[in-house]
Amino acid sequence: MAASEPGRPGPEPEGPVLFAEDGWSWAWIFAGPLFCAGAAVFELGMGAPVHWLMLTVCAIATAMCHGVMIAATRVHGRVRLTPTTYIQGTEELELDRVEQVLPLPGEGRPEASWETARTLGELHEIPRRRRSVGLRLDTGAEVRAWTRHPVALHAALETAVRSASSGTATGTAADPT
């Protein structure tokens, strides 16, 4: 997959997408302006003077700040799994390099070695409300993939890695979100 711009996610990968996850929805850009509109309605209903200038400035400022955060999460929180490639943010990992999908962490088990391994993508740590899936590469190194739906990603990765190692690239599209 050729990226449209270096350091940015490219277009959707060709072929079936076995697992997909994006960052925040662009709908969140309306959160601040809607709150400010609600404040204006409240002030009108109470008979108080409406602070039009301040509410407008706040609505625009929050929309702009949310826009920056949404754009960042859509770049760095993007996950795509195809029969041949795993994409985490702007990092691509060919599945033929994955030797094993490691077991998910369990309750009461000691911490596995992969739980402190390098995180795939550009982020140094896994974002809040995300969980990791361990992968062992053909070099013996362990890395962490991450998602909101670790069980679904784990199952999709196991199937895709098994197919990639056996030389077949089949699968169906699934999006757990």
Side-chain angles (χ1 to χ4, degrees):
M1 172 175 78
S4 57
E5 182 181 326
R8 298 266 183 235
E12 285 297 306
E14 293 181 18
V17 175
L18 307 175
F19 183 89
E21 186 174 289
D22 290 314
W24 286 0
S25 166
W26 280 105
W28 282 105
I29 205 163
F30 298 112
L34 286 174
F35 181 77
C36 290
V41 168
F42 179 76
E43 287 181 341
L44 281 170
M46 296 302 292
V50 181
H51 299 88
W52 293 112
L53 178 63
M54 206 55 201
L55 290 172
T56 303
V57 169
C58 287
I60 292 169
T62 57
M64 290 173 62
C65 290
H66 280 152
V68 170
M69 291 187 297
I70 292 166
T73 63
R74 298 201 52 94
V75 169
H76 301 293
R78 180 175 182 256
V79 176
R80 295 290 184 274
L81 175 64
T82 69
T84 59
T85 308
Y86 176 74
I87 302 167
Q88 183 86 59
T90 60
E91 184 175 349
E92 294 184 20
L93 176 65
E94 297 299 323
L95 291 182
D96 58 4
R97 293 198 51 224
V98 179
E99 186 177 284
Q100 180 184 5
V101 180
L102 301 168
L104 289 171
E107 294 286 326
R109 281 194 214 160
E111 186 174 70
S113 61
W114 65 264
E115 292 183 76
T116 57
R118 179 180 81 82
T119 303
L120 290 173
E122 309 76 30
L123 304 178
H124 295 290
E125 288 299 323
I126 296 172
R128 288 184 353 203
R129 295 194 246 352
R130 306 297 194 273
R131 297 290 173 255
S132 58
V133 175
L135 303 174
R136 180 172 293 125
L137 304 180
D138 55 0
T139 61
E142 295 176 345
V143 294
R144 293 183 293 170
W146 51 269
T147 180
R148 277 178 265 172
H149 308 283
V151 174
L153 178 60
H154 189 271
L157 275 166
E158 279 187 326
T159 302
V161 167
R162 196 175 316 115
S163 295
S165 65
S166 68
T168 61
T170 61
T172 58
D175 185 358
T177 56

